Structures are given as structure tokens and as C-alpha cells.
Amino acid sequence: MSLPKTLAEDVARNLVMVARLIDEDPEEAYAYSRIALRLASRVAAVREAAGFAAYATQKYAEALAEFRAARRMTGSVDLWPVMADCERGLGRPERAMAMAGDPEVQKLDKAGQVEMRLVAAGARRDMGQIDAAIVTLQSSELASNSVQPWTPRLRYAYADALLEAGREDEAREWFGKALEADKDGSTDASDRLAELDGVEFVDVLGDGDDDAADEVAPRAEDRSDAREDEDDEDDVDLDGPADGSAKA
């Protein structure tokens, strides 16, 4: 569906902000997505962006509705794994498992199939089937030495499932493999390894340092007296404009 030029530009600006903010400020990204949705609800890309923004803020029912709308518009199966994960978020892992066995999964590309496997394993864990979750993650993609975009998350999920099953030595091995593949820091595999090895991170600014800072810092009344002395010495225009910026 085509939009008038000015409207299309407004929608595009809001979608750019959704993409820019969705990781660092999901709530703000969600707000921009709602604006885009009001402007162009019949555009598939807008419905998809609104779905991901709702998903990032754990509004799973809303996200699922948007993903379904986008899928109806495009006929694409690409959103199938995240739709299944929304079912998990809504406390319906059985529906997620049913979707994992749907013929639509066979239409996904390799990345989508790996994502579906991760969702299915998560659904198994939701239902308390930890051994089945481990088996679900065992695949040619997991065994491969080739590092793909999904490799760190797949290895991490496998390690985490092993740990939940009490297989700590194997979990440590797979957290290590996840870390080797995780060049972008997309997982906290290093922290999990440190935790398993009993490494504790100590805050160097402990209570003793806080006490020392309190001794050095002047009391509130001393700061007030000092400010009054400065005001007497300097003729400061306190009614002048402040230097700053406000977000629209």
C-alpha cells in the first residue's frame, strides 16, 4: 500500500525511532510505534514494527495481534517463531509446541528454523520437561563448528538447560562454547561461567569508601553558607535563561 509522500515520511521517521530505541528504551520505542500505527495501520511494516515494540515491552497479546495482522497482509511465515514465543509469554506453552510442529515451520529459512527450535525448547522448559528441552536443542546446528548469527544463543540455551538438569560439567563446557562464538556480547555467557567457577565480583567502592567520602564532603549547611558568600561576591543574574535542552 502506497502512502502520500508527507505521510510516508512521518511514518518512516517513527519507524526509524522504533528501530533505534527498541533495545535501549523499549517503552519509548513502543510509544513511537503507536504513532506510526495511528498513521498507517494498513501497512504491513508498521504492524510488524508495532508487534516487535509490544513484544519488547512484554505486551504479548498485543504483539501477537500485530504479528498476525502483518502475516495476513504479507503471507510470510517469517514471524512464526516470535508468534509462538508470544504464546509462551501468555502462559500457553502448549500452543507454542503445536506451532513448532506446524507445516509452516518447514517454510522458514535456516535462521527461522533455529529460532523455532529455541522457542520449542523454551516451551518444553515452561512445562517442566527439561530433558525434552535438551533433546529439542540437540541438532546439526548445535553440533556444527561453523559460527552463524544464531550460534551463541543456541549454545547458551543448551548450556542453560543442561545446568537446570543438574549436568554442571557439561553446562560449563557449553557456556564456554557459547562465549567463544559470542563476539558481540549478545549473551552473558562469561558471567555464567564465572558464577559456575565461584568467581565473585567485588564492588571496590565499599562501605568504607562511602564513609570516607562522607568525612570529606562538606555538610549541607556549610555548602549553603559558602554559596551565600559567593553570591555576595559575584553579581549573578539568577533570572537569566538556563542552558539546556528539552525533549519534545
Side-chain angles (χ1 to χ4, degrees):
M1 179 180 179
S2 60
L3 298 172
K5 181 178 179 181
T6 301
L7 179 58
E9 290 174 350
D10 288 342
V11 171
R13 279 194 291 269
N14 282 283
L15 293 183
V16 167
M17 293 307 296
V18 172
R20 183 178 298 172
L21 294 169
I22 196 164
D23 291 328
E24 62 186 54
D25 192 346
E27 290 291 347
E28 189 74 1
Y30 175 77
Y32 279 107
S33 77
R34 300 307 296 178
I35 296 172
L37 197 58
R38 287 197 298 270
L39 294 172
S41 62
R42 296 184 180 182
V43 175
V46 171
R47 303 304 289 265
E48 183 174 332
F52 277 110
Y55 179 82
T57 53
Q58 300 183 9
K59 297 177 177 67
Y60 297 117
E62 187 176 322
L64 185 57
E66 298 299 342
F67 289 142
R68 284 173 174 167
R71 184 169 180 270
R72 284 195 301 269
M73 292 174 181
T74 64
S76 172
V77 299
D78 292 349
L79 295 172
W80 198 254
V82 71
M83 289 169 63
D85 207 39
C86 285
E87 295 287 6
R88 286 186 60 212
L90 291 168
R92 302 190 296 233
E94 297 86 358
R95 292 193 185 184
M97 284 304 307
M99 292 180 69
D102 195 281
E104 297 292 287
V105 175
Q106 303 306 315
K107 301 176 185 178
L108 295 168
D109 61 13
K110 179 62 69 176
Q113 290 180 8
V114 171
E115 194 65 34
M116 193 71 245
R117 188 178 293 276
L118 287 167
V119 173
R124 290 291 189 189
R125 294 181 67 172
D126 294 342
M127 294 186 287
Q129 301 172 2
I130 185 60
D131 290 335
I134 291 172
V135 172
T136 298
L137 292 168
Q138 292 171 344
S139 60
S140 58
E141 293 83 14
L142 180 68
S144 175
N145 291 323
S146 174
V147 175
Q148 302 296 333
W150 60 76
T151 301
R153 292 177 57 239
L154 183 59
R155 293 178 179 178
Y156 182 94
Y158 188 59
D160 196 42
L162 289 169
L163 187 60
E164 184 175 338
R167 296 159 62 174
E168 186 173 309
D169 290 341
E170 293 173 86
R172 180 183 286 104
E173 176 187 354
W174 281 96
F175 277 128
K177 290 182 178 182
L179 182 59
E180 289 175 2
D182 192 2
K183 305 304 181 184
D184 299 325
S186 60
T187 72
D188 64 346
S190 60
D191 293 340
R192 300 298 297 277
L193 273 173
E195 182 180 336
L196 285 172
D197 291 335
V199 176
E200 295 184 6
F201 296 96
V202 180
D203 185 359
V204 295
L205 297 177
D207 294 338
D209 292 320
D210 290 340
D211 293 339
D214 289 340
E215 292 176 4
V216 174
R219 295 173 303 166
E221 56 266 30
D222 293 340
R223 290 196 300 269
S224 178
D225 292 341
R227 180 56 185 267
E228 290 177 1
D229 292 341
E230 292 172 3
D231 290 345
D232 290 339
E233 294 174 4
D234 300 323
D235 185 13
V236 179
D237 182 8
L238 298 179
D239 295 325
D243 182 17
S245 60
K247 184 176 181 180

